[in-house]
Amino acid sequence: MKYNKLIFVAQTGTCREAMAAGIMGDFTLRHPLEILSRGLVVQFQEPMNQKAEAVLISNGINMENYVSQQLTEEDLTEDALVITMEEIHRERILEQFENAIPENIQVLTKYVGDELEILDPYGGALPAYGLCYETLRKSIKKLVKKFNNEEEGA
């Protein structure tokens, strides 16, 4: 596998991308990856959204001491795969970062062959976060399978 780092990216670094990193850490990869999450607009570090954290905890995933972090040029190395939640996030990264490698910036659902983007539950009721978790888990399971199959074929 050509990637050593996997970075999930969305808007603020406190919800979908943090959930995705937690879910990804719950799976076993044949080739260990550094799993991170970043936001596109992080003005100050914040803890994970409480509802997102509650959904993770109820599914046995602990993200204690998590704080949001801004995506930086330094994150965008050749061995980093950046997975966004929406096409607009991918476009923004390609516009804002000179050293962004287009094939290393992917929308999660497109990358694994799913139809819809991961909807943002922010501001919604707890069930919306639960639905987001389930959707993320389904797509991330495919992502893990894709990574492990690539590793097998390497």
Side-chain angles (χ1 to χ4, degrees):
M1 173 185 290
K2 63 180 183 174
Y3 302 114
N4 292 311
K5 196 173 10 174
L6 176 62
I7 307 171
F8 290 102
V9 177
Q11 195 64 21
T12 63
T14 61
C15 192
R16 290 175 290 177
E17 55 278 64
M19 288 174 78
I23 294 166
M24 187 75 187
D26 209 27
F27 285 96
T28 303
L29 290 166
R30 288 201 175 98
H31 172 80
L33 284 173
E34 182 182 2
I35 301 165
L36 306 168
S37 70
R38 298 284 188 262
L40 290 173
V41 184
V42 180
Q43 290 162 349
F44 51 90
Q45 291 187 330
E46 289 183 84
M48 186 185 302
N49 175 290
Q50 288 181 324
K51 291 176 185 171
E53 188 175 26
V55 168
L56 286 180
I57 289 169
S58 71
N59 285 283
I61 300 170
N62 186 345
M63 295 285 284
E64 200 174 8
N65 302 323
Y66 174 88
V67 288
S68 60
Q69 291 185 41
Q70 176 71 39
L71 182 69
T72 65
E73 289 279 352
E74 293 76 43
D75 288 322
L76 304 176
T77 57
E78 279 184 31
D79 69 340
L81 175 62
V82 176
I83 299 280
T84 66
M85 299 296 130
E86 298 175 40
E87 181 62 41
I88 189 133
H89 299 143
R90 180 178 186 275
E91 290 167 10
R92 211 169 289 150
I93 291 168
L94 293 173
E95 285 169 15
Q96 289 178 1
F97 296 96
E98 283 180 22
N99 65 337
I101 304 163
E103 56 272 14
N104 286 18
I105 318 289
Q106 299 287 336
V107 178
L108 175 59
T109 48
K110 274 189 188 168
Y111 193 63
V112 299
D114 286 340
E115 295 280 316
L116 304 170
E117 294 179 341
I118 305 294
L119 295 176
D120 190 354
Y122 190 79
L126 193 58
Y129 289 81
L131 184 60
C132 180
Y133 171 87
E134 294 301 328
T135 310
L136 275 169
R137 189 162 188 93
K138 189 180 83 166
S139 292
I140 288 170
K141 194 173 187 176
K142 290 179 183 176
L143 180 64
V144 168
K145 193 172 185 177
K146 186 175 177 118
F147 282 158
N148 286 341
N149 287 345
E150 281 175 11
E151 189 64 22
E152 211 170 68

